[in-house]
Amino acid sequence: MGRILAIDYGKVRTGIAVTDTSQIIASGLTTVETPRLMDWLKNYCQQEEVEAFVLGDARHMDNTPSESMKYIEPFAQRLQNAFPDKPIHRVDERFTSKMAFQSMIDSGLKKKQRQNKALVDTISAALILQTFLDTRRNMSR
């Protein structure tokens, strides 16, 4: 069984999270500068078996696409073209940045550490991935 890799796509940098090989635990992995993202993904997929991707879907409260979707949609198409054999699952990413920031507070990180936007992006990717795993688990019950 391969890993599932989650992507919190951003215009400047992108948060990445992965599951363990049993697809049970979501863990933040890293943040990648967005212009280097496709090369990073290709390299990672050569080193690790990745079964599927999870991509955050940026939406407003009324469920309309957010401004970020104009960047996410073309990336999703490039991702599908680069990895045609891997499914891409979409997950609503509303509130993940706020939840990530709150988890940083709850874990006791100091204010200076909480200002690290790359860390917020990585945690957001882990939250997106955990949402996917929880939804999949609940659907199989």
Side-chain angles (χ1 to χ4, degrees), residues 34-93:
T34 299
R36 298 179 179 175
L37 181 59
M38 286 306 291
D39 289 337
W40 188 93
L41 289 170
K42 288 174 184 173
N43 185 43
Y44 186 83
C45 288
Q46 287 175 347
Q47 296 175 20
E48 297 286 341
E49 182 183 347
V50 175
E51 184 175 303
F53 295 105
V54 175
L55 183 59
D57 230 0
R59 302 217 165 254
H60 293 294
M61 289 305 296
D62 64 359
N63 208 32
T64 58
S66 78
E67 189 69 19
S68 300
M69 288 300 283
K70 71 180 179 185
Y71 305 107
I72 294 171
E73 285 302 330
F75 169 73
Q77 189 58 55
R78 287 192 313 273
L79 185 64
Q80 187 66 68
N81 292 341
F83 302 97
D85 59 325
K86 298 184 190 328
I88 300 172
H89 304 281
R90 304 295 286 264
V91 171
D92 186 344
E93 69 172 36

Side-chain angles (χ1 to χ4, degrees), residues 103-128:
S103 73
M104 292 168 76
I105 291 171
D106 294 346
S107 67
L109 290 179
K110 299 197 182 312
K111 185 176 183 179
K112 186 164 180 101
Q113 293 169 307
R114 294 192 308 258
Q115 292 171 340
N116 180 349
K117 292 181 181 179
L119 181 57
V120 172
D121 293 338
T122 302
I123 294 171
S124 293
L127 290 169
I128 291 167

Side-chain angles (χ1 to χ4, degrees), residues 1-2 4 19-25 51 133 136-137:
M1 186 178 296
I4 300 173
T19 63
D20 58 307
T21 55
S22 299
Q23 299 180 2
I24 296 172
I25 300 168
E51 184 175 303
L133 293 173
R136 186 176 72 169
R137 214 171 281 127

